Amino acid sequence: MFRKLMTSGVAALAILALAGGAAEAKTKVVIGELDWLGSRAIEQVLNQVMTEYLDADVSTIAASQEALYESMNKGDGSVDVVADVWSDHLPAQMKNYVIPGSAETIIFNKTPYEGTEGIFIPKYVADEYGVKSLADLAKPEIAKLFDSDGNGLGELWAGAAGWESTNQTQVRAKSYGFDKTMELTTLDQAVELALLKDAYASKKPIAFYYWTPEWIFAAYELVKLEEPAFTGYTTEGAKGTERYNANGCYTFYQPGERNDWLEASDIKCSQPPTRVYVAHSKELAGRDPKIAQFLTQVKLSTDDVSKWILAMEVDGKPVEQVAKEWIDANKPKIENEWLAGVR
């Protein structure tokens, strides 16, 4: 009898130990890696916060963007989070997985940060010469400021060869009329950044396409040339989205869409900011509501992401160090805003 009681007691203790171990099991969270520095920084910040504050077991996996969103939609735990979703560049994924009436299997944080694109000049050029708008580049006396080789045309970096944005800049040049006064260049990005550094050091005029967030906006004072307000995309591909307007100001076709893409395209307004989100799968929300709540409450800023890129790209800091230093300096924000009601 005593032996039976002892055996039962041992079994009970074993069951309690197993139950305790199950209760303490960490939630596994898989972050899908994207291949640009801004995303890598955001991924690492989320990784460290979930590990430190929410006792999560975080890992990462690299794949194409399409595969990452498909995996989140499946909800099998192979990918739980994508940290830097440029939503306006992903119409198919938005229609299939995100917006009301879709599968609604991917959930965004409440407050996105904004990514912008446009033509920029140094602030000292705007201040000294009064260059404010993109249409100013169609004025010969303004274009002459950016003429570095004496051929009578100013230079403007349109982007690298093969970029969609390079074609959009070409359309803008036609639409605003500075195709007659400015020469569009397609140098490698690294070469253009070296030219920017030299121009800034000697306070010379320079004009170029770029986007935020990026490290140059943390390193230099730059001004985006003004354009009329965006009133809508006009092409078939935009139908069904909130930014479609048959009479809008933004008509753009890719060279692969039609042979007369340049003649048929017309851009006479700014490109609207792209809303950039942290996304997680609906399945993760069911598996660990607290981690999901944290992910919906994350609030990033374009300035912070630009500074993280600067620290990695220019200062050579490892992404893990950049994330830890920012977290250590922003604990009140993380604990009182990102983790409000979670811990």
Side-chain angles (χ1 to χ4, degrees):
M1 182 66 176
F2 180 75
R3 183 178 177 85
K4 287 182 179 179
L5 286 172
M6 285 290 290
T7 303
S8 299
V10 170
L13 288 172
I15 291 170
L16 286 172
L18 288 171
E24 294 171 4
K26 296 182 177 183
T27 298
K28 294 183 180 295
V29 179
V30 180
I31 299 176
E33 278 189 4
L34 297 171
D35 61 359
W36 53 87
L37 289 180
S39 182
R40 291 292 175 87
I42 298 169
E43 291 159 14
Q44 187 58 219
V45 168
L46 297 180
N47 186 331
Q48 292 188 25
V49 172
M50 287 189 287
T51 300
E52 178 181 348
Y53 288 95
L54 299 173
D55 199 31
D57 178 7
V58 184
S59 61
T60 59
I61 185 170
S64 68
Q65 285 200 70
E66 293 79 5
L68 294 178
Y69 299 121
E70 288 173 7
S71 295
M72 277 200 294
N73 171 60
K74 288 178 183 176
D76 59 4
S78 57
V79 177
D80 299 304
V81 178
V82 174
D84 202 36
V85 179
W86 288 65
S87 62
D88 297 302
H89 293 180
L90 299 163
Q93 287 77 12
M94 293 292 293
K95 290 179 181 178
N96 291 337
Y97 310 135
V98 180
I99 63 174
S102 69
E104 298 183 53
T105 49
I106 296 177
I107 301 169
F108 284 169
N109 63 324
K110 296 174 184 175
T111 308
Y113 77 84
E114 290 188 341
T116 60
E117 300 177 61
I119 306 301
F120 293 86
I121 61 174
K123 186 175 183 296
Y124 59 77
V125 178
D127 291 345
E128 182 174 352
Y129 300 104
V131 184
K132 301 295 182 184
S133 73
L134 194 54
D136 286 342
L137 299 182
K139 302 172 183 177
E141 67 275 17
I142 296 296
K144 186 177 179 181
L145 298 172
F146 301 94
D147 180 8
S148 64
D149 58 11
N151 70 349
L153 298 174
E155 290 92 43
L156 184 152
W157 188 61
W163 288 4
E164 175 182 314
S165 55
T166 304
N167 296 331
Q168 290 171 337
T169 303
Q170 192 173 347
V171 174
R172 279 191 163 88
K174 180 201 74 169
S175 299
Y176 286 102
F178 60 84
D179 58 336
K180 307 294 192 301
T181 58
M182 302 287 290
E183 180 180 5
L184 304 185
T185 67
T186 55
L187 304 168
D188 286 345
Q189 183 181 3
V191 175
E192 182 62 23
L193 290 175
L195 291 175
L196 172 61
K197 181 179 179 181
D198 291 344
Y200 211 90
S202 57
K203 294 292 185 283
K204 292 181 179 178
I206 187 170
F208 55 95
Y209 162 82
Y210 230 80
W211 61 92
T212 66
E214 256 299 340
W215 68 265
I216 62 172
F217 297 95
Y220 308 120
E221 283 191 284
L222 302 170
V223 174
K224 182 177 180 289
L225 292 179
E226 297 171 356
E227 299 178 74
F230 174 80
T231 57
Y233 295 116
T234 68
T235 54
E236 288 289 320
K239 281 188 175 179
T241 71
E242 63 183 281
R243 289 180 167 173
Y244 174 75
N245 177 1
N247 299 311
C249 59
Y250 205 106
T251 302
F252 176 68
Y253 295 99
Q254 292 277 22
E257 292 180 283
R258 50 191 297 172
N259 293 331
D260 63 343
W261 68 273
L262 183 57
E263 294 77 12
S265 299
D266 189 38
I267 302 175
K268 290 184 177 177
C269 61
S270 61
Q271 190 163 348
T274 297
R275 295 156 293 192
V276 190
Y277 292 92
V278 173
H280 68 274
S281 69
K282 183 178 180 180
E283 185 274 337
L284 176 63
R287 183 159 32 103
D288 196 315
K290 288 190 176 295
I291 289 178
Q293 182 181 343
F294 153 70
L295 291 168
T296 62
Q297 293 175 175
V298 168
K299 186 176 180 180
L300 302 166
S301 77
T302 306
D303 286 345
D304 279 337
V305 179
S306 292
K307 289 174 183 176
W308 296 340
I309 299 170
L310 175 67
M312 292 185 287
E313 180 79 12
V314 179
D315 300 337
K317 291 185 178 182
V319 65
E320 295 83 3
Q321 179 184 348
V322 172
K324 185 178 187 308
E325 289 177 353
W326 186 86
I327 290 169
D328 288 344
N330 290 273
K331 285 188 179 293
K333 176 186 180 72
I334 292 167
E335 294 172 1
N336 299 328
E337 297 179 26
W338 292 13
L339 294 165
V342 176
R343 297 174 66 243

